[in-house]
Amino acid sequence: MNFGRVSTAMVTPFDRKGNIDFTKTTQLIQYLIENGSDSLVVAGTTGESPTLTKEEKIALFRHVVKVVNGRVPVIAGTGSNNTHASIELTKKAVEAGVDAIMLVAPYYNKPSQEGLFQHFKAIAESTTLPVMLYNIPGRSSVNVSPDTIIRLSEIENIVAVKEASGDLDSMTEIISHTSDDFMLYSGDDGLTLPVLSIGGNGIVSVASHIIGNEMQEMVAAFTSGNHLKAAGMHQLLLPVMKGLFASPNPTPVKTALQMKGLDVGSVRLPLIPLTEVERAKLSQLLQVLS
């Protein structure tokens, strides 16, 4: 399974009543595929997974698979802090026809490293689909250690990790001690270029909703050996990447899409829309792209 260099963690479009808007979802998918997305992550954190019901997630998986129609890999976010529930949702995602699954580290219940290993192992063994692990200690309150990720990489269908710890030393250790076909993706847009420089494969991105083509250009410059150009693009794009996280994700990126003329609706509580001051700052940041 090749997830490409830039995988987009897709927002979930809502209508004015807060329901999933499947027409807007179709439009968003078309836009993302045409603007730099090599694969799509559906119902992840950026997709507001904490507020999506199981039924909504399944409906979303089915719809995205149908619209994508094999053009790019579809990665379903089926992880949670409930191992049994994650296995059941994974089975439904398989039935929906997704290409891979992403499993976030269990949040709130703070398992041990052995508990993390057994959790991921149980879910991976419930499916034949490729599995991408997702380490994000800032949200889950538990860090999946390099040793645990290295151990998990030995399970046949665990093929990648999205690393959002921000720890380049740990990422280097993972890359050094896993097989060449195990993929490490940055989970932080601003670390895309540094992660590539230590041997990572790419980025699972939020900013690619807005600067997908530019990120592809930066990655292409780096991989072709034009490191000066890649560094220059990193410097240009970094303020935009940071601005898209100035308020809780995905509120800024949904607002930025609206500013670009692609309405994906607002966010669900407990997230709230940007204030006018926040919107003005975001608009100013995006002007660098025009």
Side-chain angles (χ1 to χ4, degrees):
M1 176 61 61
N2 182 3
F3 302 126
R5 294 291 193 178
V6 178
S7 178
T8 298
M10 194 177 81
V11 301
T12 301
F14 297 130
D15 62 22
R16 291 184 178 181
K17 294 182 178 179
N19 300 313
I20 297 177
D21 190 317
F22 290 101
T23 300
K24 289 177 181 175
T25 301
T26 297
Q27 294 167 350
L28 177 62
I29 292 166
Q30 297 292 122
Y31 163 80
L32 291 174
I33 292 176
E34 292 169 4
N35 288 277
S37 296
D38 294 321
S39 55
L40 301 176
V41 175
V42 183
T45 308
T46 304
E48 296 178 71
S49 57
T51 68
L52 296 176
T53 66
K54 176 183 175 182
E55 291 73 25
E56 285 178 319
K57 290 177 183 178
I58 295 167
L60 196 56
F61 297 155
R62 289 173 179 161
H63 182 79
V64 175
V65 167
K66 181 179 179 181
V67 174
V68 167
N69 195 27
R71 289 177 289 171
V72 298
V74 176
I75 308 164
T78 62
S80 72
N81 60 351
N82 181 325
T83 308
H84 177 74
S86 295
I87 290 172
E88 291 303 307
L89 184 57
T90 296
K91 290 177 179 177
K92 293 295 183 182
V94 172
E95 292 174 8
V98 305
D99 300 292
I101 63 168
M102 187 172 73
L103 302 177
V104 69
Y107 37 86
Y108 190 75
N109 37 17
K110 297 181 74 171
S112 65
Q113 292 299 313
E114 182 61 25
L116 289 168
F117 176 83
Q118 295 297 338
H119 168 82
F120 289 126
K121 178 174 180 285
I123 303 169
E125 289 180 344
S126 74
T127 182
T128 58
L129 286 183
V131 173
M132 178 186 287
L133 307 173
Y134 181 15
N135 184 34
I136 182 163
R139 286 186 179 270
S140 66
S141 82
V142 64
N143 182 54
V144 188
S145 73
D147 286 345
T148 300
I149 292 171
I150 293 163
R151 188 179 168 202
L152 284 163
S153 75
E154 297 171 1
I155 296 172
E156 185 176 4
N157 62 327
I158 296 182
V159 301
V161 62
K162 174 185 176 183
E163 251 294 344
S165 66
D167 187 341
L168 289 169
D169 290 348
S170 291
M171 293 185 224
T172 301
E173 184 177 350
I174 293 165
I175 293 166
S176 298
H177 293 89
T178 52
S179 64
D180 290 342
D181 58 357
F182 184 79
M183 298 169 286
L184 184 141
Y185 287 84
S186 173
D188 298 294
D189 284 298
L191 290 181
T192 303
L193 189 56
V195 166
L196 289 173
S197 75
I198 61 169
N201 295 82
I203 174 72
V204 178
S205 175
V206 175
S208 55
H209 285 87
I210 309 302
I211 51 173
N213 291 327
E214 291 86 348
M215 293 181 75
Q216 285 284 6
E217 187 179 349
M218 179 180 71
V219 171
F222 177 83
T223 56
S224 67
N226 193 344
H227 297 164
L228 191 61
K229 179 181 177 181
M233 292 202 68
H234 169 76
Q235 293 160 23
L236 176 69
L237 298 176
L238 186 61
V240 177
M241 294 171 175
K242 293 176 70 174
L244 290 171
F245 284 88
S247 300
N249 182 46
T251 314
V253 72
K254 280 191 160 185
T255 306
L257 284 167
Q258 182 189 57
M259 291 174 177
K260 285 177 67 75
L262 189 64
D263 181 17
V264 293
S266 189
V267 289
R268 284 179 172 175
L269 286 170
L271 300 181
I272 57 173
L274 298 185
T275 65
E276 287 305 314
V277 171
E278 290 167 337
R279 285 179 65 91
K281 288 181 179 178
L282 180 60
S283 178
Q284 187 175 16
L285 269 177
L286 296 179
Q287 288 177 11
V288 73
L289 303 175
S290 58

